[in-house]
Amino acid sequence: MRRIRTPPRLAPRPKDSHKASVGRVLVVGGSRDRCGAPALAALGAVRAGAGLVRVAVPHSIQGVVAARRPEATTAGLPEIRAGALAPAAVPVAEAMADAWDAVVLGPGVGRAPSTRRAVTNLVWVLQQTGRDEEADRLEKEFAVDPSS
């Protein structure tokens, strides 16, 4: 392994570019106990050069994430009583995903069975939209036991 002392510089943006033309990232995740994870993922997207970042999290933590990441927009998603994503979040996130160049799915979602099913359904959506490589990795990580 080679140690990197200075991170590589981002390529300069074209003079006629605007925030929607240099990358749009949607982060879907979070739970009441793990609200920092999607906020950090959003920060990573901004630092990597994304022009627009939206963080979709359970309703109860939307304000917390918005306060931590003022440069990103936020959206509240349906949640279960424990404060994690509910299965009802799937169609909402699915409708959002089409408008974004990249979708980061999963930081801080937790392991509640209904949330795992929701993430598995969102993985299926990613596969249908051509984001197979990331969807395959997440499918293995969040595979739902058919007996549950």
Side-chain angles (χ1 to χ4, degrees), residues 1-34:
M1 184 183 323
R2 185 174 64 100
R3 185 176 192 158
I4 298 174
R5 298 197 185 277
T6 305
R9 291 189 166 268
L10 294 174
R13 292 184 177 177
K15 292 192 185 299
D16 62 344
S17 68
H18 55 84
K19 61 185 175 182
S21 70
V22 294
R24 298 165 300 177
V25 177
L26 173 65
V27 177
V28 180
S31 60
R32 195 173 302 135
D33 295 342
R34 297 172 181 91

PDB file of all heavy atoms in Angstrom, residues 1-34:
ATOM      1  N   MET A   1       0.837  -1.160   0.000  1.00  0.00           N
ATOM      2  CA  MET A   1       0.000   0.000   0.000  1.00  0.00           C
ATOM      3  C   MET A   1       0.893   1.237   0.000  1.00  0.00           C
ATOM      4  O   MET A   1       1.876   1.306   0.696  1.00  0.00           O
ATOM      5  CB  MET A   1      -0.893  -0.009   1.239  1.00  0.00           C
ATOM      6  CG  MET A   1      -1.834   1.132   1.231  1.00  0.00           C
ATOM      7  SD  MET A   1      -2.930   1.334   2.668  1.00  0.00           S
ATOM      8  CE  MET A   1      -3.365  -0.285   3.142  1.00  0.00           C
ATOM      9  N   ARG A   2       0.481   2.221  -0.808  1.00  0.00           N
ATOM     10  CA  ARG A   2       1.224   3.464  -0.913  1.00  0.00           C
ATOM     11  C   ARG A   2       0.495   4.548  -0.137  1.00  0.00           C
ATOM     12  O   ARG A   2      -0.704   4.723  -0.272  1.00  0.00           O
ATOM     13  CB  ARG A   2       1.309   3.856  -2.391  1.00  0.00           C
ATOM     14  CG  ARG A   2       2.150   5.058  -2.666  1.00  0.00           C
ATOM     15  CD  ARG A   2       2.282   5.274  -4.161  1.00  0.00           C
ATOM     16  NE  ARG A   2       1.016   5.575  -4.787  1.00  0.00           N
ATOM     17  CZ  ARG A   2       0.601   6.794  -5.112  1.00  0.00           C
ATOM     18  NH1 ARG A   2       1.373   7.837  -4.888  1.00  0.00           N
ATOM     19  NH2 ARG A   2      -0.561   6.988  -5.663  1.00  0.00           N
ATOM     20  N   ARG A   3       1.216   5.246   0.696  1.00  0.00           N
ATOM     21  CA  ARG A   3       0.631   6.324   1.492  1.00  0.00           C
ATOM     22  C   ARG A   3       0.491   7.579   0.641  1.00  0.00           C
ATOM     23  O   ARG A   3       1.435   7.999  -0.027  1.00  0.00           O
ATOM     24  CB  ARG A   3       1.507   6.606   2.699  1.00  0.00           C
ATOM     25  CG  ARG A   3       0.905   7.606   3.623  1.00  0.00           C
ATOM     26  CD  ARG A   3       1.755   7.787   4.836  1.00  0.00           C
ATOM     27  NE  ARG A   3       0.994   8.535   5.804  1.00  0.00           N
ATOM     28  CZ  ARG A   3       1.228   8.540   7.074  1.00  0.00           C
ATOM     29  NH1 ARG A   3       2.224   7.828   7.552  1.00  0.00           N
ATOM     30  NH2 ARG A   3       0.498   9.234   7.900  1.00  0.00           N
ATOM     31  N   ILE A   4      -0.665   8.180   0.692  1.00  0.00           N
ATOM     32  CA  ILE A   4      -0.912   9.421  -0.047  1.00  0.00           C
ATOM     33  C   ILE A   4      -0.815  10.569   0.941  1.00  0.00           C
ATOM     34  O   ILE A   4      -1.556  10.645   1.907  1.00  0.00           O
ATOM     35  CB  ILE A   4      -2.301   9.406  -0.712  1.00  0.00           C
ATOM     36  CG1 ILE A   4      -2.386   8.264  -1.717  1.00  0.00           C
ATOM     37  CG2 ILE A   4      -2.596  10.740  -1.374  1.00  0.00           C
ATOM     38  CD1 ILE A   4      -3.763   8.081  -2.306  1.00  0.00           C
ATOM     39  N   ARG A   5       0.122  11.452   0.701  1.00  0.00           N
ATOM     40  CA  ARG A   5       0.325  12.588   1.607  1.00  0.00           C
ATOM     41  C   ARG A   5      -0.509  13.800   1.198  1.00  0.00           C
ATOM     42  O   ARG A   5      -0.936  14.579   2.028  1.00  0.00           O
ATOM     43  CB  ARG A   5       1.797  12.941   1.669  1.00  0.00           C
ATOM     44  CG  ARG A   5       2.634  11.795   2.221  1.00  0.00           C
ATOM     45  CD  ARG A   5       3.994  12.287   2.664  1.00  0.00           C
ATOM     46  NE  ARG A   5       4.823  11.179   3.088  1.00  0.00           N
ATOM     47  CZ  ARG A   5       4.800  10.632   4.280  1.00  0.00           C
ATOM     48  NH1 ARG A   5       3.966  11.097   5.182  1.00  0.00           N
ATOM     49  NH2 ARG A   5       5.589   9.636   4.595  1.00  0.00           N
ATOM     50  N   THR A   6      -0.726  13.963  -0.087  1.00  0.00           N
ATOM     51  CA  THR A   6      -1.520  15.077  -0.593  1.00  0.00           C
ATOM     52  C   THR A   6      -2.593  14.510  -1.508  1.00  0.00           C
ATOM     53  O   THR A   6      -2.274  13.822  -2.472  1.00  0.00           O
ATOM     54  CB  THR A   6      -0.634  16.058  -1.395  1.00  0.00           C
ATOM     55  OG1 THR A   6       0.462  16.477  -0.575  1.00  0.00           O
ATOM     56  CG2 THR A   6      -1.434  17.267  -1.830  1.00  0.00           C
ATOM     57  N   PRO A   7      -3.860  14.763  -1.205  1.00  0.00           N
ATOM     58  CA  PRO A   7      -4.917  14.226  -2.065  1.00  0.00           C
ATOM     59  C   PRO A   7      -4.856  14.859  -3.452  1.00  0.00           C
ATOM     60  O   PRO A   7      -4.425  16.015  -3.594  1.00  0.00           O
ATOM     61  CB  PRO A   7      -6.205  14.606  -1.344  1.00  0.00           C
ATOM     62  CG  PRO A   7      -5.842  15.676  -0.395  1.00  0.00           C
ATOM     63  CD  PRO A   7      -4.378  15.539  -0.100  1.00  0.00           C
ATOM     64  N   PRO A   8      -5.270  14.102  -4.467  1.00  0.00           N
ATOM     65  CA  PRO A   8      -5.256  14.670  -5.816  1.00  0.00           C
ATOM     66  C   PRO A   8      -6.245  15.829  -5.927  1.00  0.00           C
ATOM     67  O   PRO A   8      -7.264  15.856  -5.241  1.00  0.00           O
ATOM     68  CB  PRO A   8      -5.685  13.500  -6.702  1.00  0.00           C
ATOM     69  CG  PRO A   8      -6.322  12.526  -5.794  1.00  0.00           C
ATOM     70  CD  PRO A   8      -5.775  12.751  -4.431  1.00  0.00           C
ATOM     71  N   ARG A   9      -5.915  16.783  -6.763  1.00  0.00           N
ATOM     72  CA  ARG A   9      -6.797  17.937  -6.962  1.00  0.00           C
ATOM     73  C   ARG A   9      -7.919  17.571  -7.934  1.00  0.00           C
ATOM     74  O   ARG A   9      -7.720  16.789  -8.850  1.00  0.00           O
ATOM     75  CB  ARG A   9      -6.021  19.111  -7.539  1.00  0.00           C
ATOM     76  CG  ARG A   9      -5.035  19.694  -6.555  1.00  0.00           C
ATOM     77  CD  ARG A   9      -4.468  20.999  -7.136  1.00  0.00           C
ATOM     78  NE  ARG A   9      -3.796  21.726  -6.117  1.00  0.00           N
ATOM     79  CZ  ARG A   9      -4.368  22.661  -5.361  1.00  0.00           C
ATOM     80  NH1 ARG A   9      -5.613  22.977  -5.548  1.00  0.00           N
ATOM     81  NH2 ARG A   9      -3.697  23.289  -4.446  1.00  0.00           N
ATOM     82  N   LEU A  10      -9.077  18.180  -7.697  1.00  0.00           N
ATOM     83  CA  LEU A  10     -10.186  18.011  -8.629  1.00  0.00           C
ATOM     84  C   LEU A  10      -9.875  18.793  -9.896  1.00  0.00           C
ATOM     85  O   LEU A  10      -9.231  19.848  -9.863  1.00  0.00           O
ATOM     86  CB  LEU A  10     -11.482  18.546  -8.020  1.00  0.00           C
ATOM     87  CG  LEU A  10     -12.026  17.797  -6.811  1.00  0.00           C
ATOM     88  CD1 LEU A  10     -13.233  18.544  -6.235  1.00  0.00           C
ATOM     89  CD2 LEU A  10     -12.410  16.383  -7.183  1.00  0.00           C
ATOM     90  N   ALA A  11     -10.346  18.249 -11.025  1.00  0.00           N
ATOM     91  CA  ALA A  11     -10.180  18.958 -12.289  1.00  0.00           C
ATOM     92  C   ALA A  11     -10.958  20.273 -12.221  1.00  0.00           C
ATOM     93  O   ALA A  11     -12.021  20.334 -11.593  1.00  0.00           O
ATOM     94  CB  ALA A  11     -10.698  18.105 -13.437  1.00  0.00           C
ATOM     95  N   PRO A  12     -10.428  21.333 -12.833  1.00  0.00           N
ATOM     96  CA  PRO A  12     -11.169  22.603 -12.805  1.00  0.00           C
ATOM     97  C   PRO A  12     -12.506  22.455 -13.532  1.00  0.00           C
ATOM     98  O   PRO A  12     -12.612  21.728 -14.515  1.00  0.00           O
ATOM     99  CB  PRO A  12     -10.253  23.587 -13.523  1.00  0.00           C
ATOM    100  CG  PRO A  12      -9.145  22.808 -14.113  1.00  0.00           C
ATOM    101  CD  PRO A  12      -9.187  21.433 -13.557  1.00  0.00           C
ATOM    102  N   ARG A  13     -13.511  23.127 -13.020  1.00  0.00           N
ATOM    103  CA  ARG A  13     -14.823  23.094 -13.658  1.00  0.00           C
ATOM    104  C   ARG A  13     -14.826  24.023 -14.863  1.00  0.00           C
ATOM    105  O   ARG A  13     -14.207  25.088 -14.844  1.00  0.00           O
ATOM    106  CB  ARG A  13     -15.902  23.546 -12.683  1.00  0.00           C
ATOM    107  CG  ARG A  13     -16.109  22.571 -11.572  1.00  0.00           C
ATOM    108  CD  ARG A  13     -17.244  23.009 -10.684  1.00  0.00           C
ATOM    109  NE  ARG A  13     -17.465  21.999  -9.656  1.00  0.00           N
ATOM    110  CZ  ARG A  13     -18.331  22.103  -8.696  1.00  0.00           C
ATOM    111  NH1 ARG A  13     -19.070  23.187  -8.594  1.00  0.00           N
ATOM    112  NH2 ARG A  13     -18.477  21.143  -7.818  1.00  0.00           N
ATOM    113  N   PRO A  14     -15.560  23.646 -15.898  1.00  0.00           N
ATOM    114  CA  PRO A  14     -15.691  24.557 -17.045  1.00  0.00           C
ATOM    115  C   PRO A  14     -16.326  25.876 -16.594  1.00  0.00           C
ATOM    116  O   PRO A  14     -17.163  25.902 -15.692  1.00  0.00           O
ATOM    117  CB  PRO A  14     -16.633  23.807 -17.997  1.00  0.00           C
ATOM    118  CG  PRO A  14     -16.537  22.372 -17.583  1.00  0.00           C
ATOM    119  CD  PRO A  14     -16.240  22.379 -16.114  1.00  0.00           C
ATOM    120  N   LYS A  15     -15.954  26.946 -17.235  1.00  0.00           N
ATOM    121  CA  LYS A  15     -16.454  28.271 -16.851  1.00  0.00           C
ATOM    122  C   LYS A  15     -17.968  28.391 -17.003  1.00  0.00           C
ATOM    123  O   LYS A  15     -18.599  29.143 -16.278  1.00  0.00           O
ATOM    124  CB  LYS A  15     -15.753  29.354 -17.658  1.00  0.00           C
ATOM    125  CG  LYS A  15     -14.279  29.489 -17.300  1.00  0.00           C
ATOM    126  CD  LYS A  15     -13.699  30.740 -17.890  1.00  0.00           C
ATOM    127  CE  LYS A  15     -12.217  30.842 -17.660  1.00  0.00           C
ATOM    128  NZ  LYS A  15     -11.792  30.888 -16.293  1.00  0.00           N
ATOM    129  N   ASP A  16     -18.561  27.650 -17.943  1.00  0.00           N
ATOM    130  CA  ASP A  16     -20.006  27.752 -18.153  1.00  0.00           C
ATOM    131  C   ASP A  16     -20.798  26.694 -17.361  1.00  0.00           C
ATOM    132  O   ASP A  16     -21.990  26.519 -17.568  1.00  0.00           O
ATOM    133  CB  ASP A  16     -20.335  27.642 -19.639  1.00  0.00           C
ATOM    134  CG  ASP A  16     -19.930  26.306 -20.233  1.00  0.00           C
ATOM    135  OD1 ASP A  16     -19.139  25.568 -19.606  1.00  0.00           O
ATOM    136  OD2 ASP A  16     -20.407  25.995 -21.335  1.00  0.00           O
ATOM    137  N   SER A  17     -20.145  26.018 -16.435  1.00  0.00           N
ATOM    138  CA  SER A  17     -20.840  24.997 -15.652  1.00  0.00           C
ATOM    139  C   SER A  17     -21.690  25.640 -14.548  1.00  0.00           C
ATOM    140  O   SER A  17     -21.493  26.799 -14.187  1.00  0.00           O
ATOM    141  CB  SER A  17     -19.841  24.023 -15.033  1.00  0.00           C
ATOM    142  OG  SER A  17     -19.067  24.655 -14.046  1.00  0.00           O
ATOM    143  N   HIS A  18     -22.621  24.883 -14.068  1.00  0.00           N
ATOM    144  CA  HIS A  18     -23.427  25.303 -12.920  1.00  0.00           C
ATOM    145  C   HIS A  18     -23.620  24.086 -12.034  1.00  0.00           C
ATOM    146  O   HIS A  18     -23.263  22.963 -12.402  1.00  0.00           O
ATOM    147  CB  HIS A  18     -24.760  25.916 -13.355  1.00  0.00           C
ATOM    148  CG  HIS A  18     -25.568  25.025 -14.235  1.00  0.00           C
ATOM    149  ND1 HIS A  18     -26.396  24.047 -13.757  1.00  0.00           N
ATOM    150  CD2 HIS A  18     -25.641  24.952 -15.588  1.00  0.00           C
ATOM    151  CE1 HIS A  18     -26.964  23.413 -14.762  1.00  0.00           C
ATOM    152  NE2 HIS A  18     -26.516  23.937 -15.881  1.00  0.00           N
ATOM    153  N   LYS A  19     -24.171  24.278 -10.868  1.00  0.00           N
ATOM    154  CA  LYS A  19     -24.201  23.200  -9.882  1.00  0.00           C
ATOM    155  C   LYS A  19     -24.909  21.943 -10.369  1.00  0.00           C
ATOM    156  O   LYS A  19     -24.516  20.850  -9.994  1.00  0.00           O
ATOM    157  CB  LYS A  19     -24.789  23.685  -8.565  1.00  0.00           C
ATOM    158  CG  LYS A  19     -26.200  24.180  -8.630  1.00  0.00           C
ATOM    159  CD  LYS A  19     -26.610  24.738  -7.281  1.00  0.00           C
ATOM    160  CE  LYS A  19     -27.986  25.366  -7.342  1.00  0.00           C
ATOM    161  NZ  LYS A  19     -28.351  25.938  -6.064  1.00  0.00           N
ATOM    162  N   ALA A  20     -25.910  22.058 -11.208  1.00  0.00           N
ATOM    163  CA  ALA A  20     -26.609  20.859 -11.684  1.00  0.00           C
ATOM    164  C   ALA A  20     -25.852  20.136 -12.786  1.00  0.00           C
ATOM    165  O   ALA A  20     -26.158  18.993 -13.095  1.00  0.00           O
ATOM    166  CB  ALA A  20     -28.002  21.229 -12.169  1.00  0.00           C
ATOM    167  N   SER A  21     -24.838  20.780 -13.351  1.00  0.00           N
ATOM    168  CA  SER A  21     -24.117  20.141 -14.457  1.00  0.00           C
ATOM    169  C   SER A  21     -22.838  19.434 -14.013  1.00  0.00           C
ATOM    170  O   SER A  21     -22.181  18.798 -14.826  1.00  0.00           O
ATOM    171  CB  SER A  21     -23.779  21.175 -15.538  1.00  0.00           C
ATOM    172  OG  SER A  21     -22.792  22.082 -15.081  1.00  0.00           O
ATOM    173  N   VAL A  22     -22.486  19.521 -12.737  1.00  0.00           N
ATOM    174  CA  VAL A  22     -21.225  18.923 -12.283  1.00  0.00           C
ATOM    175  C   VAL A  22     -21.422  17.743 -11.338  1.00  0.00           C
ATOM    176  O   VAL A  22     -20.492  17.327 -10.662  1.00  0.00           O
ATOM    177  CB  VAL A  22     -20.299  19.981 -11.635  1.00  0.00           C
ATOM    178  CG1 VAL A  22     -19.848  20.998 -12.668  1.00  0.00           C
ATOM    179  CG2 VAL A  22     -20.959  20.653 -10.452  1.00  0.00           C
ATOM    180  N   GLY A  23     -22.618  17.213 -11.307  1.00  0.00           N
ATOM    181  CA  GLY A  23     -22.861  16.020 -10.508  1.00  0.00           C
ATOM    182  C   GLY A  23     -23.927  16.222  -9.463  1.00  0.00           C
ATOM    183  O   GLY A  23     -23.891  17.183  -8.691  1.00  0.00           O
ATOM    184  N   ARG A  24     -24.910  15.312  -9.470  1.00  0.00           N
ATOM    185  CA  ARG A  24     -26.014  15.355  -8.519  1.00  0.00           C
ATOM    186  C   ARG A  24     -26.032  14.033  -7.759  1.00  0.00           C
ATOM    187  O   ARG A  24     -26.129  12.963  -8.361  1.00  0.00           O
ATOM    188  CB  ARG A  24     -27.330  15.558  -9.247  1.00  0.00           C
ATOM    189  CG  ARG A  24     -27.382  16.879 -10.004  1.00  0.00           C
ATOM    190  CD  ARG A  24     -28.496  16.904 -10.993  1.00  0.00           C
ATOM    191  NE  ARG A  24     -28.259  15.802 -11.946  1.00  0.00           N
ATOM    192  CZ  ARG A  24     -29.080  15.483 -12.924  1.00  0.00           C
ATOM    193  NH1 ARG A  24     -30.193  16.133 -13.093  1.00  0.00           N
ATOM    194  NH2 ARG A  24     -28.802  14.492 -13.745  1.00  0.00           N
ATOM    195  N   VAL A  25     -25.945  14.100  -6.435  1.00  0.00           N
ATOM    196  CA  VAL A  25     -25.869  12.905  -5.590  1.00  0.00           C
ATOM    197  C   VAL A  25     -27.024  12.893  -4.604  1.00  0.00           C
ATOM    198  O   VAL A  25     -27.260  13.875  -3.904  1.00  0.00           O
ATOM    199  CB  VAL A  25     -24.526  12.851  -4.829  1.00  0.00           C
ATOM    200  CG1 VAL A  25     -24.474  11.638  -3.897  1.00  0.00           C
ATOM    201  CG2 VAL A  25     -23.349  12.818  -5.804  1.00  0.00           C
ATOM    202  N   LEU A  26     -27.717  11.762  -4.558  1.00  0.00           N
ATOM    203  CA  LEU A  26     -28.780  11.533  -3.583  1.00  0.00           C
ATOM    204  C   LEU A  26     -28.268  10.542  -2.551  1.00  0.00           C
ATOM    205  O   LEU A  26     -27.795   9.464  -2.909  1.00  0.00           O
ATOM    206  CB  LEU A  26     -30.024  10.956  -4.276  1.00  0.00           C
ATOM    207  CG  LEU A  26     -31.165  10.496  -3.362  1.00  0.00           C
ATOM    208  CD1 LEU A  26     -31.766  11.683  -2.602  1.00  0.00           C
ATOM    209  CD2 LEU A  26     -32.231   9.780  -4.181  1.00  0.00           C
ATOM    210  N   VAL A  27     -28.326  10.915  -1.285  1.00  0.00           N
ATOM    211  CA  VAL A  27     -27.946  10.030  -0.180  1.00  0.00           C
ATOM    212  C   VAL A  27     -29.236   9.594   0.500  1.00  0.00           C
ATOM    213  O   VAL A  27     -30.017  10.440   0.936  1.00  0.00           O
ATOM    214  CB  VAL A  27     -27.025  10.744   0.839  1.00  0.00           C
ATOM    215  CG1 VAL A  27     -26.697   9.826   2.005  1.00  0.00           C
ATOM    216  CG2 VAL A  27     -25.760  11.247   0.156  1.00  0.00           C
ATOM    217  N   VAL A  28     -29.458   8.277   0.588  1.00  0.00           N
ATOM    218  CA  VAL A  28     -30.643   7.730   1.257  1.00  0.00           C
ATOM    219  C   VAL A  28     -30.158   6.878   2.417  1.00  0.00           C
ATOM    220  O   VAL A  28     -29.412   5.918   2.217  1.00  0.00           O
ATOM    221  CB  VAL A  28     -31.491   6.864   0.300  1.00  0.00           C
ATOM    222  CG1 VAL A  28     -32.712   6.306   1.031  1.00  0.00           C
ATOM    223  CG2 VAL A  28     -31.901   7.661  -0.928  1.00  0.00           C
ATOM    224  N   GLY A  29     -30.552   7.228   3.634  1.00  0.00           N
ATOM    225  CA  GLY A  29     -30.112   6.435   4.776  1.00  0.00           C
ATOM    226  C   GLY A  29     -30.500   7.086   6.080  1.00  0.00           C
ATOM    227  O   GLY A  29     -31.428   7.887   6.147  1.00  0.00           O
ATOM    228  N   GLY A  30     -29.764   6.707   7.103  1.00  0.00           N
ATOM    229  CA  GLY A  30     -29.966   7.293   8.422  1.00  0.00           C
ATOM    230  C   GLY A  30     -31.025   6.606   9.244  1.00  0.00           C
ATOM    231  O   GLY A  30     -31.881   5.887   8.751  1.00  0.00           O
ATOM    232  N   SER A  31     -30.942   6.844  10.529  1.00  0.00           N
ATOM    233  CA  SER A  31     -31.921   6.387  11.503  1.00  0.00           C
ATOM    234  C   SER A  31     -31.730   7.253  12.746  1.00  0.00           C
ATOM    235  O   SER A  31     -30.755   8.005  12.837  1.00  0.00           O
ATOM    236  CB  SER A  31     -31.734   4.909  11.838  1.00  0.00           C
ATOM    237  OG  SER A  31     -30.456   4.678  12.382  1.00  0.00           O
ATOM    238  N   ARG A  32     -32.640   7.152  13.679  1.00  0.00           N
ATOM    239  CA  ARG A  32     -32.562   8.005  14.863  1.00  0.00           C
ATOM    240  C   ARG A  32     -31.228   7.845  15.586  1.00  0.00           C
ATOM    241  O   ARG A  32     -30.675   8.810  16.101  1.00  0.00           O
ATOM    242  CB  ARG A  32     -33.717   7.687  15.810  1.00  0.00           C
ATOM    243  CG  ARG A  32     -33.920   8.741  16.869  1.00  0.00           C
ATOM    244  CD  ARG A  32     -35.172   8.516  17.699  1.00  0.00           C
ATOM    245  NE  ARG A  32     -36.368   8.473  16.876  1.00  0.00           N
ATOM    246  CZ  ARG A  32     -37.332   7.557  17.022  1.00  0.00           C
ATOM    247  NH1 ARG A  32     -37.250   6.637  17.927  1.00  0.00           N
ATOM    248  NH2 ARG A  32     -38.386   7.591  16.237  1.00  0.00           N
ATOM    249  N   ASP A  33     -30.693   6.637  15.631  1.00  0.00           N
ATOM    250  CA  ASP A  33     -29.424   6.386  16.322  1.00  0.00           C
ATOM    251  C   ASP A  33     -28.195   6.660  15.462  1.00  0.00           C
ATOM    252  O   ASP A  33     -27.076   6.649  15.974  1.00  0.00           O
ATOM    253  CB  ASP A  33     -29.355   4.926  16.792  1.00  0.00           C
ATOM    254  CG  ASP A  33     -30.401   4.604  17.832  1.00  0.00           C
ATOM    255  OD1 ASP A  33     -30.947   5.550  18.445  1.00  0.00           O
ATOM    256  OD2 ASP A  33     -30.679   3.416  18.030  1.00  0.00           O
ATOM    257  N   ARG A  34     -28.389   6.862  14.189  1.00  0.00           N
ATOM    258  CA  ARG A  34     -27.251   6.988  13.269  1.00  0.00           C
ATOM    259  C   ARG A  34     -27.441   8.138  12.278  1.00  0.00           C
ATOM    260  O   ARG A  34     -27.277   7.974  11.081  1.00  0.00           O
ATOM    261  CB  ARG A  34     -27.066   5.675  12.513  1.00  0.00           C
ATOM    262  CG  ARG A  34     -26.728   4.510  13.410  1.00  0.00           C
ATOM    263  CD  ARG A  34     -26.758   3.192  12.625  1.00  0.00           C
ATOM    264  NE  ARG A  34     -26.445   2.084  13.498  1.00  0.00           N
ATOM    265  CZ  ARG A  34     -27.355   1.384  14.167  1.00  0.00           C
ATOM    266  NH1 ARG A  34     -28.633   1.685  14.058  1.00  0.00           N
ATOM    267  NH2 ARG A  34     -26.997   0.376  14.930  1.00  0.00           N
TER     268      ARG A  34
END
